[in-house]
Amino acid sequence: MTKEFSMNDQRVAVVSGGSRGIGKAIALTLAAQGSAVVVGFHGAADAAARVVEEITAAGGRAIAFQADVADEVAVAEMFDAAEKSFGGVDVVVNSAGRLSLSPIADLDLDELDALHRTNVRGAFVMAREAARRVRPGGAIIALSTSVVGLRFPGYGAYAAGKGAVEAMTMVLARELRGRDITVNAVAPGPTATELFLQDKDEATVERLAKQPPLERLGTPQDIAEVVSFLASPAGHWVNGQVVRANGGII
């Protein structure tokens, strides 16, 4: 049975994809705000260990846990580890993701399957486990992308998967009626991460940076601050929403 959360307890966050990029910034920000954090990772064990070291060096509590988000057994074990180490789960952030850029006409279907295994099946598995485990007063947050609305060429498969994430987020928010759990998605615009910058020349990056009225790329910390608000008691009245954190790009 799900344990009732008391505001006197330390909140516990599970962050998939927490070893690098936006996920790392989210893990560090939630820890700085007082949450114990499970830093989920797939292959970057050393990077995840460094995130844990940074959190614990600052006086926080964290563990790293290896899990492929599309593997329901591994994800359940990650949540088990959160409950065993810290007593429960209050916040779940699924920031694990895979990016493939190609015109729709040219995309290899094996790559499409691999992309959607992580971005769609993985998001579903994380949401399903979160729905079973998160305590009252908690929050479930998925990472989408502003490309769903911006429709950049080459992002067809990626945007399609994230459109599915937004749809399941809206459905889950309604399915958890009466549980006092919020479900939202955050949709970053162009953000200066290793994943985003790979295979882009300087001119492309500069062009994308000029598109928002704020005339810069987002940073992982920009996105982490939005996520941390939605995860906090202060953001608990926001529910069933997609927050497009993109500097005003339209």
Side-chain angles (χ1 to χ4, degrees), residues 139-153:
I140 301 169
I141 302 162
L143 268 290
S144 180
T145 174
S146 286
V147 173
V148 171
L150 296 172
R151 306 176 186 93
F152 290 157

Side-chain angles (χ1 to χ4, degrees), residues 8-230:
N8 294 322
D9 295 334
Q10 182 181 41
R11 289 168 77 80
V12 179
V14 174
V15 181
S16 70
S19 62
R20 293 183 289 197
I22 290 173
K24 174 183 175 180
I26 291 168
L28 293 173
T29 299
L30 292 177
Q33 294 179 345
S35 292
V37 180
V38 176
V39 179
F41 70 96
H42 187 197
D46 290 345
R50 288 192 293 271
V51 176
V52 170
E53 290 170 5
E54 188 170 345
I55 291 172
T56 56
R61 303 170 70 201
I63 61 170
F65 196 93
Q66 185 172 24
D68 174 357
V69 291
D71 181 340
E72 67 272 25
V73 174
V75 168
E77 290 174 347
M78 180 166 62
F79 279 72
D80 288 343
E83 292 176 345
K84 180 178 179 180
S85 298
F86 304 124
V89 178
D90 305 296
V91 175
V92 174
V93 183
N94 181 40
S95 60
R98 181 185 178 106
L99 176 64
S100 294
L101 299 181
S102 170
I104 290 170
D106 299 333
L107 183 66
D108 185 277
L109 293 182
D110 287 341
E111 182 58 29
L112 177 71
D113 291 342
L115 182 77
H116 286 181
R117 183 179 187 277
T118 297
N119 294 1
V120 180
R121 178 187 167 94
F124 192 96
V125 170
M126 286 290 295
R128 187 179 74 163
E129 202 63 36
R132 296 171 174 177
R133 307 273 196 135
V134 170
R135 298 184 285 195
I140 301 169
I141 302 162
L143 268 290
S144 180
T145 174
S146 286
V147 173
V148 171
L150 296 172
R151 306 176 186 93
F152 290 157
Y155 283 81
Y158 184 70
K162 292 300 188 177
V165 169
E166 293 186 9
M168 73 177 75
T169 297
M170 301 302 101
V171 170
L172 184 57
R174 287 150 181 79
E175 290 180 346
L176 296 187
R177 174 181 292 274
R179 292 272 303 277
D180 191 29
I181 296 168
T182 62
V183 188
N184 294 288
V186 174
T191 304
T193 65
E194 180 181 344
L195 184 67
F196 172 78
L197 294 173
Q198 69 182 15
D199 301 324
K200 291 184 175 69
D201 60 31
E202 186 175 338
T204 299
V205 172
E206 184 176 355
R207 175 177 56 80
L208 291 169
K210 290 294 185 182
Q211 289 190 346
L214 297 178
E215 294 191 334
R216 66 172 176 85
L217 294 177
T219 68
Q221 192 61 36
D222 289 327
I223 309 308
E225 295 292 348
V226 176
V227 170
S228 67
F229 171 73
L230 294 174

